[in-house]
Amino acid sequence: MVKNLKRSGLTKENINCAPVMEVVDLSTSFLTAAGEIKAVREVSFSLFAGQVLAVVGESGCGKSVTARSLLRLIDPPGYIKNGWVLLNGVNLLNLTEGEMRRLRGTEISMVFQDPMTSFDPVYTVGRQFTEALMAHEKISQQEAKQQALQMLSKVSLQDLERVFNSYPFQLSGGMRQRVMIAIALAMKPKVLIADEPTTALDVTVQSGILAELKRLNKETGSALLLITHDLGVVAELADRVAIMYAGRIVEIGSVYDIFDHAQHPYTRALLTSINPIQEDGGLTAIPGQPPDMANVPPGCPFSPRCPEALRQCRQKEPEQYIIAGEHWVSCWRAESEERKISGA
Ligand SMILES: Nc1ncnc2c1ncn2[C@@H]1O[C@H](COP(=O)(O)OP(=O)(O)OP(=O)(O)O)[C@@H](O)[C@H]1O
Ligand SMILES: [Mg+2]
């Protein structure tokens, strides 16, 4: 499916370089009347400069909670229970709220699905852009405007003065999202998190914006965490892919590993479910439902839906096994002593 291995961006050189961000055993829960919702459970992954890690999984599996946990934007009744979020070796979970505020928007930025919520409706986008730049760097108003216009041109906007002087509601959804990406990347963040950045937009607009995002991400050297439902987008943009199910990463690997050598039955089911047209002309959905997150069954949470489940799958959560290099899976079917990740 992925014709060119090079497109995965993984080479012997960069796979060994130090990650910009390392997330280790991150767990986030919500304490609700229905009980503890373990939205994110012992999630670990790394982000590398200039590369895209796509996070994929069905609705409610914990993608957004993972992203918000990296920025420590979890409101009660939610809380980060455990883990490390290391940005260049510093654990963000140990910083004060003030220190964390200074990092948001500068070292780590986030682009949301609906940029309307990120803009202040009463100021022009130009004013919001220049204020963000001036808070970040000691530059004059004029210099900030120049930088803003230059960044707006990089996200392929035209009629830049008009865009600059517009209020958010005067721009189309696609234009607002381009401005948001321009603002986020103007700060040259080390990590950019994009949570379904284009799902609210027209399909034709989506691919242009995503291509822009990928190009600018490479240019600025930011590490991009891209959350998406769309495996077509993943195949186009991602270097590596993390598959989430019921709060856990069940498989992670290069885009090549995931598309051509998927190990987890859930990953394979997801890949089949997007196979555009089946013989009967319809889409295959994965049979069954994801578990109730307040009541995740024992064993592998996918086992009730898994066509390959063994008896032990319903009893004990699987360990993690290395398939090759950076490709690992959490599935009893891959069990082998040599492949076991220590401490998993
Ligand atoms: N404020 C909250 N209170 C209680 N539970 C929450 C809260 N926010 C999220 N959750 C629960 O956490 C789990 C993960 O939610 P999350 O928003 O991360 O899913 P997602 O993978 O981003 O889904 P989608 O694809 O629909 O955006 C869900 O089961 C959800 O019900
Ligand atoms: Mg979400």
Side-chain angles (χ1 to χ4, degrees):
M1 193 157 189
V2 177
K3 295 179 201 97
N4 188 350
L5 178 54
K6 268 197 192 141
R7 200 168 59 183
S8 77
L10 279 184
T11 62
K12 275 208 179 96
E13 289 73 46
N14 68 12
I15 196 68
N16 291 326
C17 73
V20 176
M21 179 172 269
E22 263 179 292
V23 178
V24 185
D25 283 344
L26 178 70
S27 296
T28 299
S29 284
F30 294 87
L31 296 175
T32 70
E36 180 184 353
I37 295 179
K38 295 177 179 172
V40 172
R41 294 186 296 145
E42 292 154 25
V43 156
S44 301
F45 58 85
S46 301
L47 299 175
F48 295 89
Q51 289 201 1
V52 182
L53 173 70
V55 180
V56 185
E58 285 165 294
S59 190
C61 71
K63 304 180 295 293
S64 297
V65 173
T66 301
R68 297 180 74 85
S69 299
L70 305 187
L71 284 154
R72 277 184 35 193
L73 290 174
I74 300 291
D75 296 321
Y79 70 108
I80 299 174
K81 230 175 135 173
N82 186 37
W84 291 264
V85 178
L86 302 168
L87 181 67
N88 288 331
V90 174
N91 186 4
L92 303 188
L93 303 187
N94 288 340
L95 298 185
T96 63
E97 191 42 51
E99 289 168 326
M100 203 55 218
R101 242 194 320 271
R102 282 191 288 281
L103 285 183
R104 287 190 204 111
T106 55
E107 302 276 303
I108 319 181
S109 282
M110 187 150 173
V111 180
F112 295 93
Q113 187 180 100
D114 178 9
M116 214 45 192
T117 55
S118 316
F119 283 116
D120 190 329
V122 301
Y123 297 113
T124 62
V125 297
R127 174 163 173 184
Q128 295 181 57
F129 202 156
T130 49
E131 279 182 359
L133 286 167
M134 286 161 72
H136 180 52
E137 255 184 282
K138 281 206 165 51
I139 49 172
S140 69
Q141 183 99 35
Q142 199 47 37
E143 285 167 320
K145 180 171 179 183
Q146 280 318 313
Q147 277 192 28
L149 290 175
Q150 196 192 9
M151 239 6 243
L152 291 175
S153 73
K154 283 193 179 183
V155 288
S156 302
L157 285 163
Q158 276 140 29
D159 210 352
L160 300 180
E161 282 287 342
R162 186 180 73 77
V163 172
F164 188 87
N165 291 315
S166 296
Y167 289 90
F169 72 87
Q170 293 175 309
L171 301 175
S172 70
M175 288 165 94
R176 276 199 295 271
Q177 196 57 291
R178 283 179 198 272
V179 175
M180 210 61 241
I181 290 168
I183 296 177
L185 283 169
M187 309 299 159
K188 299 193 179 65
K190 298 204 170 63
V191 174
L192 177 67
I193 300 167
D195 190 353
E196 311 256 10
T198 59
T199 29
L201 305 174
D202 257 26
V203 181
T204 46
V205 181
Q206 282 187 22
S207 57
I209 293 185
L210 289 168
E212 224 58 87
L213 188 59
K214 167 118 179 172
R215 189 177 56 72
L216 285 170
N217 168 65
K218 287 254 180 287
E219 197 178 301
T220 55
S222 301
L224 177 60
L225 181 76
L226 176 69
I227 295 173
T228 178
H229 276 104
D230 187 336
L231 281 161
V233 166
V234 174
E236 271 313 306
L237 265 76
D239 298 296
R240 288 159 56 243
V241 187
I243 308 287
M244 275 191 93
Y245 190 80
R248 306 199 81 148
I249 293 182
V250 295
E251 183 164 11
I252 194 164
S254 72
V255 70
Y256 171 77
D257 294 330
I258 298 298
F259 279 83
D260 282 3
H261 299 282
Q263 300 293 313
H264 202 287
Y266 178 62
T267 311
R268 289 201 289 264
L270 266 186
L271 289 169
T272 323
S273 74
I274 54 102
N275 196 355
I277 299 185
Q278 302 297 305
E279 275 172 21
D280 62 358
L283 281 170
T284 6
I286 304 174
Q289 293 291 322
D292 168 5
M293 294 294 280
N295 216 342
V296 178
C300 170
F302 187 60
S303 60
R305 301 168 81 186
C306 182
E308 299 169 46
L310 308 164
R311 187 189 300 173
Q312 76 194 92
C313 301
R314 300 183 207 281
Q315 292 163 349
K316 200 167 164 236
E317 268 205 273
E319 316 259 9
Q320 293 170 343
Y321 300 100
I322 291 179
I323 303 305
E326 295 284 303
H327 182 195
W328 62 254
V329 67
S330 174
C331 175
W332 285 124
R333 285 266 178 201
E335 185 177 14
S336 106
E337 264 317 302
E338 311 84 77
R339 286 167 157 189
K340 194 164 153 180
I341 297 177
S342 59

